[in-house]
Amino acid sequence: MKHLIDIKDLSVEEIDELIKVAKDIINHKKEYSHKCDDKTLATLFFEPSTRTRLSFEAAMLELGGRTLGFSEAASSSASKGESVSDTIRVVGCYSDIIAMRHPKEGAPLVASMKSTVPIINAGDGGHNHPTQTLTDLLTIDREKGRLDNLTIGLCGDLKFGRTVHSLITAMSRYKNIKLVLISPKELEIPEYVKKDIIEKNNMQYVETTDIEEYMGELDILYMTRVQKERFFNEEDYVRLKDYYILNREKLEKAKKDLSILHPLPRVNEISTDVDDDPRACYFKQALNGKYIRMALILKLLEIK
Amino acid sequence: MNIDSIKNGYVIDHIEAGKGMEIYELLNLNELDCQVAIITNAKSKKTGVKDIIKIDRNIDLDFDKLGFIDPGVTVNVVKDDKIIEKKKLSLPEKIVNVAKCKNPRCITSVERELDQIFILTDKEKNVYRCKYCEMSLK
């Protein structure tokens, strides 16, 4: 039995296969509509995330399966003090596969150590969010037709932004990836990501606080939200939340075929006047999220 | 100063000066009812001073824990008054319940019954990371 806790759990070949299946689903939706007829997905969200939860549920429903679960810890037995391991063992009795989000880092790994059914990490604190990374990879592949030879700008909260860390980890396995790391000093990429992933894999990178400095060189611009829930201090959040606001003016120097990605939800970091720009891919990205999750559910349930 | 030689047990030698008590406590040597000697600031040809611990019993010594605290130590195994083995220690690949993760966002901060597990991720820089949240130990 296989779980997906960290994007590193998947080989490059497995990621390629997932992308291939997701594209096949996009082109042959009906052929997949009964693949999970007798299967149940449990969505255990100990931390609210409507978007990710609905994406998982939509994915399972479109495969013909059923869903059950909870959307916040308050409506689960965790509020009574039950451990993650116990919750997982019980829910494993009622479902065939579990997607789990938890505010504490490492909780899905703990779950996978005790679970009798496959566990998908749907986000654990500021740590990992592998299905978002798969979504990002499918989007880049569909927009650019490749996952190598790309200059990728990552902008916003690079310190707590788990989507950024996971994306860098995934891209480190492809050839000739250049990173432009754009963040305020307080939200710079952590040293361990820089040393253990970027430098260890000889990835080229530059760091800047100016979103426009390297705009003309980017193939991908990955914007992120400064997340309130990652701060212990409200003052720090208020000071940093609107540090970057991408608008049409800032895109003047950008390439015509730039792809703008964002894991969503956005707050102010992308102005709505960018939404109609053909380079804005973030809503297409949300749709891709459903397809790659469908492919992942099939893989983990070993359904061809 | 004379310390009796031991008949059966261990001599933990070449401990970095000052770490003898730390090792004594982490290995729970205070719980033994046999003779245990801690010698601090003993003369050393290599390092000038060192600590030494002598344990007069063949206990189940946790070499991983010992190697994590001080990978430079040598453990002499003594049987019938003779040293039968000299063990050179190194950093263990994994340590369990030796150190605690300090990340307040880590699952171990709320689920206390979980083993505190750290994995050696960088042998050159002696970096251990929490198995659950991957936060560096230092």
Side-chain angles (χ1 to χ4, degrees):
Chain A
M1 184 175 58
K2 196 168 168 70
H3 308 283
L4 178 61
I5 305 302
D6 186 315
I7 194 68
K8 297 192 289 291
D9 295 342
L10 296 171
S11 66
V12 173
E13 292 74 25
E14 285 176 310
I15 289 173
D16 289 346
E17 182 63 26
L18 282 171
I19 289 174
K20 193 177 150 193
V21 172
K23 286 177 173 174
D24 195 57
I25 293 170
I26 292 165
N27 294 323
H28 308 92
K29 291 190 185 80
K30 279 198 169 175
E31 289 178 21
Y32 288 85
S33 61
H34 292 286
K35 292 274 186 187
C36 289
D37 271 355
D38 57 345
K39 302 291 182 188
T40 300
L41 165 78
T43 51
L44 308 188
F45 278 56
F46 295 86
E47 177 182 70
S49 174
T50 312
R51 192 174 306 274
T52 304
R53 186 171 56 84
L54 292 183
S55 178
F56 270 108
E57 292 183 359
M60 192 54 162
L61 292 172
E62 290 204 18
L63 289 167
R66 298 173 292 257
T67 67
L68 53 82
F70 53 83
S71 56
E72 55 180 332
S75 55
S76 80
S77 49
S79 62
K80 297 171 190 161
E82 186 178 53
S83 70
V84 166
S85 302
D86 282 5
T87 304
I88 285 298
R89 273 184 275 207
V90 171
V91 175
C93 301
Y94 311 140
S95 60
D96 302 287
I97 185 164
I98 295 171
M100 171 184 173
R101 171 169 290 214
H102 201 287
K104 291 295 178 187
E105 300 172 6
L109 177 65
V110 172
S112 72
M113 291 156 69
K114 300 290 182 187
S115 181
T116 53
V117 300
I119 299 288
I120 302 172
N121 180 1
D124 60 334
H127 188 214
N128 282 319
H129 193 358
T131 60
Q132 180 62 51
T133 308
L134 289 173
T135 301
D136 301 339
L137 295 177
L138 175 61
T139 305
I140 293 170
D141 186 272
R142 290 188 75 195
E143 296 300 319
K144 296 286 172 236
R146 65 184 190 279
L147 288 171
D148 53 11
N149 299 303
L150 293 164
T151 299
I152 303 173
L154 299 152
C155 178
D157 178 4
L158 308 189
K159 183 178 180 183
F160 298 115
R162 61 186 166 199
T163 58
V164 169
H165 304 167
S166 292
L167 183 58
I168 291 172
T169 303
M171 297 311 299
S172 71
R173 301 194 282 188
Y174 296 93
K175 283 182 187 167
N176 197 22
I177 300 296
K178 294 175 192 167
L179 300 175
V180 178
L181 306 170
I182 310 154
S183 72
K185 288 280 175 202
E186 295 90 334
L187 296 175
E188 276 180 357
I189 201 98
E191 273 302 302
Y192 78 89
V193 177
K194 213 188 291 181
K195 301 278 180 207
D196 295 356
I197 304 168
I198 299 175
E199 292 177 2
K200 201 171 181 178
N201 289 288
N202 298 316
M203 297 174 89
Q204 290 184 51
Y205 74 99
V206 288
E207 289 180 274
T208 178
T209 55
D210 181 0
I211 191 171
E212 290 176 88
E213 189 177 357
Y214 296 96
M215 186 65 84
E217 297 174 30
L218 304 179
D219 299 306
I220 306 283
L221 174 57
Y222 194 93
M223 296 294 295
T224 62
R225 173 172 60 102
V226 175
Q227 292 179 277
K228 191 177 181 180
E229 57 268 35
R230 304 289 167 236
F231 287 85
F232 288 123
N233 183 341
E234 172 108 18
E235 278 177 30
D236 288 341
Y237 167 69
V238 171
R239 187 165 48 83
L240 295 168
K241 71 184 174 72
D242 292 333
Y243 202 95
Y244 297 108
I245 297 176
L246 183 69
N247 54 27
R248 280 184 178 271
E249 191 188 333
K250 291 199 175 81
L251 284 169
E252 275 174 11
K253 289 182 195 163
K255 286 182 182 175
K256 292 250 182 323
D257 66 344
L258 170 74
S259 298
I260 305 164
L261 275 65
H262 189 304
L264 300 179
R266 73 168 153 189
V267 184
N268 296 323
E269 58 278 3
I270 302 179
S271 169
T272 51
D273 68 6
V274 178
D275 293 357
D276 296 330
D277 191 301
R279 293 170 289 191
C281 297
Y282 30 92
F283 293 115
K284 285 191 265 182
Q285 192 181 353
L287 181 61
N288 287 332
K290 180 182 70 177
Y291 293 126
I292 201 75
R293 288 181 176 100
M294 289 169 78
L296 179 64
I297 289 168
L298 291 174
K299 177 183 172 59
L300 296 182
L301 289 176
E302 298 176 3
I303 296 172
K304 296 282 179 189
Chain B
M1 186 173 65
N2 292 322
I3 306 270
D4 286 349
S5 60
I6 57 174
K7 192 169 176 62
N8 291 296
Y10 300 98
V11 177
I12 306 172
D13 201 358
H14 303 116
I15 300 170
E16 187 184 324
K19 281 195 171 174
M21 277 310 292
E22 189 184 344
I23 288 174
Y24 178 82
E25 282 165 12
L26 270 165
L27 295 180
N28 298 321
L29 299 181
N30 58 322
E31 292 173 7
L32 299 175
D33 57 5
C34 63
Q35 287 192 76
V36 178
I38 306 175
I39 305 157
T40 58
N41 299 320
K43 283 182 185 171
S44 165
K45 285 178 188 169
K46 282 184 191 169
T47 55
V49 285
K50 64 180 180 180
D51 289 358
I52 302 168
I53 295 177
K54 293 186 175 189
I55 307 163
D56 197 14
R57 182 178 291 171
N58 274 318
I59 60 167
D60 190 10
L61 205 54
D62 188 336
F63 292 105
D64 281 352
K65 208 181 260 189
L66 195 52
F68 169 71
I69 304 163
D70 188 348
V73 304
T74 307
V75 180
N76 298 318
V77 184
V78 182
K79 192 176 179 190
D80 298 330
D81 298 312
K82 287 179 184 169
I83 295 174
I84 58 162
E85 189 182 357
K86 275 181 181 279
K87 284 179 185 281
K88 283 287 236 181
L89 298 190
S90 58
L91 285 171
E93 292 293 327
K94 181 170 88 169
I95 51 167
V96 181
N97 296 330
V98 177
K100 280 189 177 175
C101 183
K102 290 178 182 163
N103 178 6
R105 297 180 182 86
C106 181
I107 185 67
T108 57
S109 70
V110 287
E111 297 211 354
R112 308 281 173 164
E113 78 286 359
L114 289 171
D115 281 334
Q116 295 271 350
I117 304 172
F118 287 85
I119 311 289
L120 180 62
T121 56
D122 188 334
K123 285 181 185 174
E124 289 170 13
K125 293 173 188 162
N126 298 355
V127 178
Y128 282 86
R129 292 196 180 282
C130 173
K131 178 181 175 170
Y132 307 100
C133 72
E134 297 182 85
M135 177 77 93
S136 167
L137 189 55
K138 287 173 186 169

